[in-house]
C-alpha cells in the first residue's frame, strides 16, 4: 500500500464548478499535512497546510480526518488558472526525519 | 516565501558523463536540504537528506556512490550524478528547510533541474 494515495484523475470540470479531491495516508503517526500545487514541468508550491479543525483560504478549503487518515481539498468557483496537479503531502515528523511524503497527485483541468 | 534556486535549469549530457546540480537557499540558512527525483506522471520521490557538515542520508534503493551529495555550507548543497545513463533522465528538485522557529515543517522548493541523458 502506498504511503499517500490519491486518485490521479484527470478531473475535467467547467469554469465555476466546485471540485473536491481526496487523499488517504497509511502512517497513523503522521503529524503535519499539506496540499501542494504543481504546474507542468515546474516545482511544487505550497497551497495550504491542513488542520483537523479545517481551514479555508479564499476558494480553497482543506480538511483532515485523523481517525480515518483522510485529507480533502475543496475548490469552489474553479478558474482556468486552477488547472494543475494537486499533491497531497504528509510529514511524519521528527521521528521520521521530518521528511515529506508525496502522493502521486490529482490532475485538474478547468475548461471554458 | 523563502527563495531556493537551482542551477542549471536543464542539462543534456552524453551517457557516462557526470552532472553537478546546485541548490542554494538565497535568504535563509538551511542546515537541512532534500533532494527529490520525479519521473513523468509519477510522484516526487525523496532521494536523500543533505545535512550541512555531515554525510547525507540516502533513502532505500538510492546509490550513494552514484548520487554524490555535498552540503559544504548553510546555503549550498550539490548533487552530482556520476556516470549518468539514460535511465537517470528525470526532473531533480531540491528543497530547503528553514531553521527551527521559522515555518515549522515547511520546505521551500527549488525550480528543479531537468536532466536528459542521451
Amino acid at each position: 500500500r502506498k504511503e499517500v494515495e490519491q486518485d490521479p484523475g484527470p478531473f475535467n470540470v467547467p469554469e465555476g464548478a466546485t471540485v473536491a479531491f481526496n487523499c488517504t495516508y497509511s502512517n497513523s503517526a503522521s503529524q503535519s499535512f499539506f496540499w501542494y500545487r504543481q504546474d507542468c514541468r515546474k516545482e511544487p508550491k505550497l497551497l495550504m497546510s491542513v488542520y483537523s479543525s479545517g481551514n479555508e483560504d479564499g476558494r480553497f478549503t482543506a480538511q483532515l480526518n485523523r481517525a480515518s487518515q483522510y485529507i480533502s481539498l475543496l475548490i469552489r468557483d474553479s478558474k482556468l488558472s486552477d488547472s494543475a496537479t494537486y499533491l497531497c503531502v504528509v510529514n511524519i515528523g521528527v521521528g521520521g526525519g521530518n521528511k515529506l511524503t508525496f502522493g502521486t497527485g490529482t490532475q485538474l483541468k478547468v475548461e471554458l | 516565501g523563502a527563495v531556493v534556486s537551482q542551477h542549471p535549469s536543464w542539462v543534456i549530457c552524453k551517457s557516462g558523463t557526470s552532472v553537478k546540480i546546485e541548490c542554494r537557499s538565497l535568504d535563509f540558512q538551511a542546515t537541512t536540504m532534500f533532494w527529490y527525483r520525479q519521473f513523468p506522471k509519477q510522484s516526487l520521490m525523496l532521494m536523500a537528506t543533505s545535512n550541512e557538515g555531515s554525510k547525507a542520508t540516502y533513502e532505500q534503493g538510492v546509490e550513494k556512490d552514484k548520487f554524490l551529495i555535498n552540503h559544504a555550507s548553510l546555503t549550498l548543497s550539490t548533487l552530482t550524478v556520476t556516470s549518468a545513463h539514460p535511465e537517470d533522465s528525470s526532473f531533480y528538485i531540491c528543497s530547503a528547510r528553514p531553521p527551527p522557529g521559522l515555518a515549522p515543517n515547511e520546505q521551500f522548493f527549488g525550480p528543479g533541474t531537468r536532466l536528459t541523458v542521451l
Side-chain angles (χ1 to χ4, degrees):
Chain A
R1 183 186 172 187
K2 291 180 182 176
E3 292 187 61
V4 180
E5 292 209 55
Q6 294 181 252
D7 181 342
F11 284 56
N12 299 305
V13 302
E15 201 174 15
T18 296
V19 61
F21 305 138
N22 303 319
C23 165
T24 57
Y25 60 95
S26 61
N27 192 327
S28 59
S30 300
Q31 296 190 2
S32 49
F33 310 87
F34 310 91
W35 283 102
Y36 278 75
R37 170 193 169 129
Q38 187 174 26
D39 291 287
C40 188
R41 304 174 80 84
K42 299 284 188 181
E43 78 277 20
K45 294 189 176 177
L46 179 65
L47 182 64
M48 59 198 303
S49 300
V50 189
Y51 306 109
S52 298
S53 55
N55 48 303
E56 188 174 308
D57 182 2
R59 298 181 292 108
F60 299 84
T61 302
Q63 194 78 42
L64 165 66
N65 184 321
R66 284 187 181 270
S68 303
Q69 295 179 200
Y70 172 95
I71 305 164
S72 64
L73 175 68
L74 182 77
I75 305 175
R76 290 181 299 278
D77 189 22
S78 301
K79 311 291 185 191
L80 294 175
S81 57
D82 293 334
S83 298
T85 296
Y86 290 83
L87 305 171
C88 178
V89 184
V90 171
N91 185 334
I92 297 174
V94 175
N98 246 336
K99 297 183 288 190
L100 297 182
T101 300
F102 286 79
T104 51
T106 298
Q107 188 179 8
L108 172 65
K109 295 180 180 179
V110 181
E111 303 164 331
L112 286 172
Chain B
V3 179
V4 175
S5 70
Q6 264 184 258
H7 177 82
S9 302
W10 56 270
V11 57
I12 301 172
C13 69
K14 292 182 178 179
S15 188
T17 59
S18 294
V19 176
K20 180 187 280 189
I21 303 170
E22 293 187 349
C23 177
R24 293 181 186 273
S25 58
L26 299 183
D27 51 4
F28 66 94
Q29 293 183 330
T31 54
T32 303
M33 291 184 173
F34 300 89
W35 286 97
Y36 297 85
R37 180 168 54 181
Q38 187 178 31
F39 293 107
K41 297 190 183 299
Q42 293 188 26
S43 175
L44 272 77
M45 295 299 295
L46 179 65
M47 299 175 67
T49 302
S50 171
N51 299 299
E52 187 268 337
S54 63
K55 290 183 179 180
T57 304
Y58 289 82
E59 295 299 300
Q60 193 173 9
V62 178
E63 299 174 57
K64 63 180 181 180
D65 295 328
K66 181 169 179 63
F67 298 99
L68 302 179
I69 291 173
N70 186 293
H71 194 155
S73 79
L74 287 170
T75 59
L76 172 65
S77 176
T78 61
L79 169 69
T80 301
V81 184
T82 62
S83 187
H85 291 285
E87 58 266 29
D88 297 323
S89 299
S90 187
F91 190 44
Y92 291 85
I93 309 174
C94 74
S95 71
R97 191 168 68 210
L102 296 177
N105 300 318
E106 188 171 346
Q107 294 180 20
F108 298 99
F109 287 83
T113 297
R114 193 160 299 280
L115 170 64
T116 301
V117 185
L118 303 176

